[in-house]
Amino acid sequence: MSNQSENVVEVKHLCKYFPIKAGLFNRVVGQVHAVEDVSFTIKRGTTMGLVGESGCGKTTIGKTLLNLTPKTSGEVIFNGSQRIDAMSHNELRAFRPKIQIIFQDPYSSLSPRLPVGEIIGEAVREHKIVPDAEFDAYISRIMKSCGLFDYQKDRYPHEFSGGQRQRICIARAIALNPDFIVCDEPVSALDVSIQAQIINLLEDLQKEFNLTYLFISHDLSVVQHISDTVGVMYLGNMVEFASKEEIFANPLHPYTQALFSAIPVPDPTVKMNRIILEGSLPSPANPPEGCKFHTRCRNCKGVCKRVAPKTLDMGNGHTVACHIYDPESGYANEQ
């Protein structure tokens, strides 16, 4: 690797808005605030879990990091110096092998017209990852690393189970020798027993190839198992970020506390202290004033409805965006 920066990914004040068009002339009449002022870093060889409800902006962040969806504003920096959001078309094309994605639905992300060997090897050949003479042996080695067999090269995606298809998607990603992989809910469409196999495979490959992951999921048990750091998203904002140990032992934001209270405990004698969120998720096209979570928060006070909270550093890399912990917000003095 040309640059061994400690952080593979640095995201600074990332925003992504989608235009809302209407009328005869298809004019822009509003914006969907999919991602708003999100910042974080991912250290080399680690996994960052990204959690939150559906529609909170998790997948949009993943696609924006890879420039599959162009950002509205902010910076995305790889390996300490490479601004992917500022690259030209040719620069981005040359850089593509270093950043890969594993999609949620393995079947729809695989071409039904290509055999597995060609699916895995198509981009390898295009980017000249290995000499032509070593191509077949290289593809066989990658397939073996992902729990696939050499004789399966000539088979088509419809001949495989869901778990095997996801292994093909993983093999296609790691065949390009990437530094960073976005895992967009890679196990949510699989049976629980198969989920465990895929998670273990991802962990083994991370050690073998020194990979760095952004692991997007709504399954907190999986995130707790695989992640080193965890970010919690709500309506386009990152409301809390910390190491896995810190955030699961001491969740600070009321939304994080509500999410974590829903994690099932495999003990029928343990009483669950569920925090039930009232109301529905507001529209990202018309987010509420002040703190976006105030419409569902049991700790809401007047300042929460008027002023957006600052992101506070609580120590040990633990950040939270909530007025409760800001002595300057005036939260403690309100009734």
Side-chain angles (χ1 to χ4, degrees):
M1 297 175 193
S2 57
N3 191 330
Q4 283 291 338
S5 168
E6 180 186 20
N7 295 320
V8 171
V9 179
E10 296 176 56
V11 177
K12 299 179 180 179
H13 307 293
L14 182 66
C15 295
K16 176 59 185 176
Y17 303 152
F18 292 98
I20 301 170
K21 297 182 179 181
L24 182 63
F25 298 102
N26 212 25
R27 292 194 177 115
V28 176
V29 296
Q31 301 279 351
V32 174
H33 295 237
V35 178
E36 194 155 27
D37 197 24
V38 169
S39 301
F40 59 86
T41 60
I42 309 178
K43 290 186 178 180
R44 186 175 303 281
T46 67
T47 299
M48 174 183 162
L50 196 59
V51 300
E53 292 171 287
S54 296
C56 70
K58 305 187 299 295
T59 296
T60 301
I61 284 181
K63 290 183 176 179
T64 307
L65 291 192
L66 305 186
N67 214 4
L68 297 176
T69 300
K71 66 177 177 58
T72 301
S73 63
E75 296 181 6
V76 180
I77 303 169
F78 279 88
N79 289 330
S81 61
Q82 296 169 295
R83 281 278 305 275
I84 187 172
D85 53 297
M87 288 181 179
S88 68
H89 175 76
N90 289 336
E91 289 173 331
L92 185 59
R93 188 178 184 280
F95 187 70
R96 277 281 177 224
K98 292 297 176 188
I99 50 174
Q100 293 296 305
I101 185 167
I102 300 166
F103 291 101
Q104 178 176 1
D105 182 359
Y107 192 57
S108 62
S109 64
L110 297 173
S111 171
R113 295 180 176 87
L114 293 177
V116 165
E118 188 60 29
I119 288 172
I120 297 170
E122 187 178 24
V124 173
R125 188 182 288 113
E126 180 69 24
H127 289 281
K128 298 178 171 58
I129 302 297
V130 293
D132 289 345
E134 300 174 18
F135 178 81
D136 282 339
Y138 180 75
I139 299 303
S140 296
R141 190 163 71 250
I142 292 296
M143 290 180 68
K144 184 178 179 181
S145 295
C146 295
L148 298 167
F149 300 99
D150 202 45
Y151 68 83
Q152 295 174 320
K153 276 184 187 176
D154 298 325
R155 294 187 178 180
Y156 289 82
H158 72 270
E159 300 179 70
F160 293 86
S161 67
Q164 287 174 320
R165 288 176 195 150
Q166 197 59 286
R167 289 176 186 271
I168 296 166
C169 294
I170 294 169
R172 178 176 59 183
I174 68 164
L176 294 171
N177 191 26
D179 288 346
F180 176 67
I181 299 178
V182 173
C183 304
D184 185 10
E185 303 204 29
V187 297
S188 65
L190 306 176
D191 294 337
V192 174
S193 59
I194 307 301
Q195 284 184 14
Q197 294 176 19
I198 297 300
I199 293 298
N200 290 336
L201 173 62
L202 289 170
E203 290 183 319
D204 292 341
L205 292 173
Q206 184 172 44
K207 294 172 186 173
E208 183 178 352
F209 297 100
N210 193 30
L211 297 170
T212 304
Y213 296 142
L214 173 65
F215 193 90
I216 298 168
S217 180
H218 57 257
D219 189 330
L220 293 166
S221 301
V222 172
V223 168
Q224 186 175 16
H225 177 75
I226 198 172
S227 301
D228 298 289
T229 56
V230 178
V232 181
M233 294 286 296
Y234 183 80
L235 210 63
N237 290 106
M238 187 169 289
V239 296
E240 190 164 1
F241 180 86
S243 67
K244 173 183 67 178
E245 295 78 13
E246 177 78 18
I247 200 167
F248 276 91
N250 184 32
L252 297 178
H253 197 280
Y255 177 64
T256 310
Q257 293 169 355
L259 276 185
F260 287 8
S261 75
I263 300 175
V265 177
D267 185 347
T269 63
V270 174
K271 180 174 172 55
M272 297 287 291
N273 294 314
R274 283 290 308 274
I275 300 173
I276 306 298
L277 295 178
E278 297 181 358
S280 58
L281 191 69
S283 169
N286 186 27
E289 292 289 322
C291 174
K292 292 180 180 179
F293 186 60
H294 85 256
T295 58
R296 305 170 74 191
C297 182
R298 58 180 182 170
N299 301 319
C300 175
K301 291 187 179 179
V303 67
C304 305
K305 301 175 183 179
R306 301 188 306 268
V307 183
K310 296 183 290 187
T311 299
L312 307 170
D313 187 350
M314 307 301 289
N316 296 323
H318 194 160
T319 62
V320 63
C322 183
H323 288 302
I324 294 173
Y325 307 99
D326 186 358
E328 299 176 2
S329 70
Y331 177 91
N333 300 324
E334 292 205 16
Q335 298 299 317

